[in-house]
């Protein structure tokens, strides 16, 4: 498989509070990737960073070896959160 997506040394701070620091991972084509953690550990914030909805972070995000935020090529990543209807089903 070839590398599709990569995050290198991602860090996010809220003022002086560290949410996460130096997170790195790779996702290969045709694979499944799970982000799992307790409430307040930065899962949603990480997805917002990857989707381009939060630009206040340190590190690099690569899609097919091109930096998503420094390259002239533009990509569209979709981020959705569960709808209220989906949350009702999980109860």
């Amino acid at each position: 498989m070839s590398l599709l997506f990569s995050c290198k040394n991602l860090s996010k701070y809220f003022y002086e509070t560290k949410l996460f620091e130096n997170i790195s991972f790779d996702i290969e084509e045709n694979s499944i990737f799970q982000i799992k953690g307790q409430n307040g550990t930065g899962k949603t914030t990480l997805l917002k960073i990857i989707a381009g909805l939060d630009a206040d972070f340190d590190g690099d995000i690569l899609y097919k070896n091109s930096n998503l935020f420094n390259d002239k090529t533009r990509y569209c990543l979709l981020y959705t959160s569960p709808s209220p209807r989906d949350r009702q089903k999980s109860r």
Side-chain angles (χ1 to χ4, degrees), residues 19 37-43:
L19 185 56
Q38 295 179 342
N39 290 346
T41 57
K43 299 177 302 292

Side-chain angles (χ1 to χ4, degrees), residues 3-72:
L3 186 62
L4 178 67
F5 191 84
S6 182
C7 289
K8 303 290 183 197
N9 301 316
L10 291 184
S11 297
K12 174 68 179 180
Y13 301 89
F14 288 110
Y15 303 99
E16 299 296 319
T17 304
K18 173 178 60 175
L19 185 56
F20 52 80
E21 187 173 49
N22 294 324
I23 292 176
S24 296
F25 59 87
D26 297 326
I27 302 174
E28 295 187 357
E29 287 185 10
N30 301 316
S31 66
I32 297 172
F33 187 82
Q34 178 181 9
I35 299 172
K36 184 177 178 180
Q38 295 179 342
N39 290 346
T41 57
K43 299 177 302 292
T44 300
T45 300
L46 176 62
L47 292 174
K48 287 180 179 180
I49 289 170
I50 291 169
L53 301 175
D54 184 345
D56 185 26
F57 69 94
D58 295 321
D60 294 308
I61 301 173
L62 307 173
Y63 176 74
K64 295 188 176 182
N65 292 318
S66 293
N67 191 306
L68 280 178
F69 302 104
N70 294 334
D71 196 347
K72 292 182 181 178

